Amino acid sequence: MIRRPPRSTLSSSSAASDVYKRQGEDLASELDGLPVLMVDSPGFLGDAEAGFTLAAEALLKEAEITAKGVNIDGICLLDPFWRGNMHESKRILAMAGIPVGVVLSHDRLPSLKNAAPMTLTTNPDYASFLGRPGGSLLGLSSLINTLPEATDAIHGADADPVLEECERAEEMVITACEKYLRRNDPPVAAICAQAGYAAFFADLLVRYLGSDHPLILPRNATSTPGITDYDQIRSRLHQDAYDLVIGSSYETRILPDAAFAGITPPNRGHVMLGSRPLVGIEGTLHAVELILNAVMDQKKKSRQMPVK
């Protein structure tokens, strides 16, 4: 959360009932004149992505575009990859000579007085809408398309070192995936996650592993409704013989014999302490590792199971 001592941020949820809404309005009047930002979030009537956007709208009233460079958007503590995404984004921008204005939402509130005119996103489902949208760092193709425009706006910036590393990383991905496909069929995959991450993994599966139209069950609503009903998810997952599930512990309970890559909470039985990204170059390498290790580990387990 972005903070400015002694100013604080108060989130008022409208989830429970009109009673809570009235209490929030009463509280707002009591706090009038005090250094408090009121955020009326949707709570259980909405979703985390909508709540993040509403909080960002309240915070961005403090923003002033005065700095050169770009802002990093999409950093949310609910995302298990937020720290890795932040570090990888800063690494890539530093390599290209692009200064960072504000990291949303990680920096302290005074940093909003030094925001940059362009914003690059790490997770498109956590959007803050600060400045001019400059593209996404999620996926090599998005990175390759995004970075040149960002460098054009900064004197002395150069995207070439990053683009060269992108080429080397893609060669590594192609080599690893081709080695897998020499002995195995393309995975039949189902992806249950935020829409942006789901599309990213689907693209990797189709582009490098030859998967045919992975099933995507997005957690959040975008141009299509989000799917969060457990019975509906179970019904969709039982409509085909999926041998790879990318999502949360809920889905692996439905298809316990499928390979599993956990990218969405809850991910029970898995400890994640390090800063593993999904964005940028290292994020693509990490995502392909998750997929290949999941399917190869499952095949090992299948071979070790006793024949009934």
Side-chain angles (χ1 to χ4, degrees):
M1 180 179 290
I2 300 177
R3 298 187 295 272
R4 181 179 64 190
R7 187 161 190 163
S8 60
T9 301
L10 177 65
S11 176
S12 172
S13 173
S14 60
S17 66
D18 289 339
V19 173
Y20 288 106
K21 184 175 181 181
R22 289 196 299 272
Q23 289 176 345
E25 291 171 350
D26 293 342
L27 186 58
S29 62
E30 291 293 330
L31 296 172
D32 186 36
L34 296 176
V36 175
L37 292 175
M38 289 291 295
V39 181
D40 185 14
S41 64
F44 295 109
L45 292 180
D47 51 34
E49 294 80 13
F52 182 91
T53 299
L54 286 172
E57 288 176 355
L59 290 169
L60 294 186
K61 294 175 182 177
E62 305 285 321
E64 296 179 11
I65 296 177
T66 60
K68 295 181 179 179
V70 300
N71 308 304
I72 298 173
D73 193 15
I75 302 299
C76 177
L77 272 63
L78 297 175
D79 181 351
F81 302 99
W82 75 268
R83 282 195 302 143
N85 286 349
M86 181 177 65
H87 295 325
E88 174 67 356
S89 299
K90 288 183 176 181
R91 184 186 76 87
I92 286 172
L93 294 172
M95 192 189 311
I98 301 174
V100 175
V102 181
V103 179
L104 296 162
S105 179
H106 179 263
D107 291 342
R108 291 186 177 272
L109 195 54
S111 66
L112 288 172
K113 301 298 183 183
N114 297 298
M118 179 187 292
T119 298
L120 308 182
T121 187
T122 59
N123 184 338
D125 295 305
Y126 290 126
S128 298
F129 306 106
L130 172 62
R132 177 167 59 90
S136 173
L137 301 176
L138 182 61
L140 290 180
S141 58
S142 294
L143 175 59
I144 290 169
N145 291 329
T146 294
L147 210 58
E149 182 180 355
T151 55
D152 288 344
I154 305 296
H155 178 72
D158 184 6
D160 287 347
V162 178
L163 300 180
E164 290 169 3
E165 188 173 323
C166 285
E167 292 179 5
R168 291 192 295 270
E170 186 167 41
E171 289 174 1
M172 294 168 61
V173 168
I174 291 171
T175 299
C177 291
E178 286 181 346
K179 181 179 180 181
Y180 173 83
L181 291 173
R182 282 198 289 268
R183 296 187 177 184
N184 303 280
D185 293 328
V188 181
I191 309 169
C192 306
Q194 282 183 306
Y197 281 171
F200 166 59
F201 274 90
D203 179 68
L204 292 177
L205 286 160
V206 172
R207 186 186 300 263
Y208 300 116
L209 283 163
S211 295
D212 184 21
H213 303 297
L215 173 69
I216 295 179
L217 302 179
R219 284 279 196 269
N220 56 307
T222 52
S223 57
T224 58
I227 300 175
T228 56
D229 181 79
Y230 188 76
D231 290 335
Q232 186 178 0
I233 293 171
R234 179 170 53 191
S235 175
R236 295 289 299 275
L237 291 179
H238 283 157
Q239 290 178 7
D240 204 342
Y242 296 105
D243 53 25
L244 171 63
V245 174
I246 300 173
S248 74
S249 298
Y250 296 134
E251 289 77 36
T252 194
R253 287 182 60 188
I254 297 171
L255 297 178
D257 295 330
F260 172 66
I263 66 168
T264 303
N267 190 1
R268 299 188 178 102
H270 179 78
V271 177
M272 183 175 174
L273 299 178
S275 301
R276 305 299 299 274
L278 288 183
V279 302
I281 299 165
E282 292 297 324
T284 293
L285 295 175
H286 176 216
V288 174
E289 283 179 4
L290 284 175
I291 294 170
L292 292 178
N293 286 330
V295 292
M296 290 190 295
D297 287 348
Q298 187 63 25
K299 290 183 181 298
K300 291 178 184 177
K301 292 177 183 177
S302 299
R303 288 195 295 266
Q304 293 170 357
M305 290 179 62
V307 179
K308 295 181 180 179

